[in-house]
Amino acid sequence: MPPPASNHGAACKNSGSNKERRRMRRCVEVRRKMEALRRLVPGGGGGEDSGEELLFRAADYIARLQVQVKVMQLMVDVLEQTKD
């Protein structure tokens, strides 16, 4: 089994109550989503980082992608103007 995506391990123990089962389901869902994020963020495949580090890297990656999109849009705009 892969290591937990964050330090939710202690909170994910099941004692049998409805509240604990909901908490367990939520922990499993958080782990699943963090693993999906690890696969999307470059360099995130190692799994050694904390959940907080992964979220910071994801935010940085999103910001870099946004800049790339803006640059590409600017290039398209310039190329369209030179056609005329």
Side-chain angles (χ1 to χ4, degrees), residues 4-47:
S6 66
N7 59 358
H8 291 323
C12 291
K13 295 192 176 167
N14 190 357
S15 70
S17 72
N18 283 336
K19 185 176 182 181
E20 290 299 318
R21 281 192 292 262
R22 283 192 302 273
R23 184 182 306 176
M24 181 66 169
R25 273 185 263 139
R26 183 165 188 223
C27 287
V28 168
E29 187 67 17
V30 167
R31 279 193 197 124
R32 187 184 66 77
K33 289 179 179 183
M34 292 298 280
E35 287 304 316
L37 186 59
R38 261 191 194 88
R39 288 189 298 272
L40 292 171
V41 176

Side-chain angles (χ1 to χ4, degrees), residues 61 63-75:
Y61 183 54
R64 286 185 283 131
L65 289 174
Q66 288 174 328
V67 169
Q68 289 177 4
V69 167
K70 287 179 183 179
V71 168
M72 288 187 282
Q73 185 60 54
L74 181 63
M75 292 170 64

Side-chain angles (χ1 to χ4, degrees), residues 39-55:
R39 288 189 298 272
L40 292 171
V41 176
E48 296 89 23
D49 58 351
S50 71
E52 182 178 7
E53 290 170 5
L54 178 61
L55 292 173

